[in-house]
């Protein structure tokens, strides 16, 4: 499954990255999230997190290892952020 989102956030990129980087707090901010923790951090823009969500009936609870990688496009004052689930124990090409 793939999902493409594009939008304009009227805030400095640093604010957005700061919120997205606080994976440990997702469990406090998102009611269905039971557990969230940072697993690996190669750089400020390359990370892997573990998230466990408790979903309501009739759905089953879900766990995901999520890989995130960001790219700054200074000349366009933009950023590309990719996120995908980790498959087959391969993360960032390793």
């Amino acid at each position: 499954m793939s999902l493409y989102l594009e939008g304009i956030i009227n805030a400095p990129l640093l604010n957005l990255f700061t919120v997205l980087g606080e994976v440990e707090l997702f469990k406090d901010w998102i009611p269905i999230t039971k557990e969230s923790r940072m697993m690996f951090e190669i750089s400020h823009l390359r990370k892997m997190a573990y998230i466990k969500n408790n979903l309501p009936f009739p759905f089953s609870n879900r766990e995901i290892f999520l890989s995130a990688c960001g790219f700054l496009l200074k000349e366009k004052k933009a950023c590309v952020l990719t996120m995908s689930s980790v498959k087959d124990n391969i993360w960032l090409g390793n």
Side-chain angles (χ1 to χ4, degrees), residues 3-6 9 13 16-21 26 44-47 66-73 78-84:
L3 175 66
Y4 173 81
L5 296 172
E6 182 176 330
I9 298 173
L13 282 176
L16 175 64
F17 288 137
T18 300
V19 170
L20 291 174
F26 286 8
H44 292 299
L45 298 176
R46 296 182 77 174
K47 302 178 181 194
L66 187 64
S67 171
C69 190
F71 304 94
L72 294 175
L73 304 173
C79 177
V80 174
L81 179 62
T82 64
M83 289 188 270
S84 61

Side-chain angles (χ1 to χ4, degrees), residues 10-72:
N10 292 320
L13 282 176
L14 183 58
N15 294 9
L16 175 64
F17 288 137
T18 300
V19 170
L20 291 174
E22 293 295 337
V23 173
E24 290 84 8
L25 295 176
F26 286 8
K27 66 184 179 315
D28 300 324
W29 296 338
I30 305 168
I32 64 168
T33 301
K34 180 178 180 179
E35 188 177 345
S36 58
R37 65 180 185 266
M38 189 69 65
M39 299 299 292
F40 300 103
E41 184 173 354
I42 292 178
S43 71
H44 292 299
L45 298 176
R46 296 182 77 174
K47 302 178 181 194
M48 184 178 81
Y50 168 77
I51 300 170
K52 182 177 182 179
N53 289 327
N54 288 340
L55 301 178
F57 180 82
F59 303 103
S60 299
N61 294 341
R62 296 285 187 256
E63 295 177 292
I64 186 171
F65 285 91
L66 187 64
S67 171
C69 190
F71 304 94
L72 294 175

